[in-house]
Amino acid sequence: MRPSSAPPPSSQPWQTLSRSSLIYYILLVGCGWLTVLLINYFYNTIALFLFTVAAIFAVLLNYPVLWLSRYIPRGWAITLTFWGRSPCC
């Protein structure tokens, strides 16, 4: 039998990576770093927007809770309101 002609495994993993895959990983890390920087820069604007949207939803969902709480306990009314508005089901 002939010995296999496969090269011996390298002790350094970066020697087995091709140039295109190295560029891909560098760009991937760079895009992630840039995304973190952008989120950090616009954090206050994003947080203000999200808090405003949450407040609007809280006010709008309070009306069905108030209506249901006339007939059933408030905890059950809150549960039914959230189950009724669930986007996943």
Side-chain angles (χ1 to χ4, degrees), residues 33-76:
W33 178 60
L34 186 64
T35 303
V36 168
L37 286 178
L38 284 173
I39 289 173
N40 190 24
Y41 184 75
F42 291 112
Y43 177 76
N44 290 332
T45 306
I46 294 169
L48 180 65
F49 175 73
L50 291 177
F51 289 145
T52 304
V53 169
I56 291 170
F57 278 133
V59 168
L60 291 176
L61 290 175
N62 190 38
Y63 292 113
V65 169
L66 286 176
W67 183 77
L68 284 172
S69 64
R70 288 188 282 174
Y71 305 107
I72 58 176
R74 185 169 175 84
W76 285 101

Side-chain angles (χ1 to χ4, degrees), residues 3 11 26 33 47-48 50-51 70 75 78-79 82 85:
S11 62
I26 289 171
W33 178 60
L48 180 65
L50 291 177
F51 289 145
R70 288 188 282 174
I78 292 170
T79 303
F82 280 116
R85 307 279 182 218

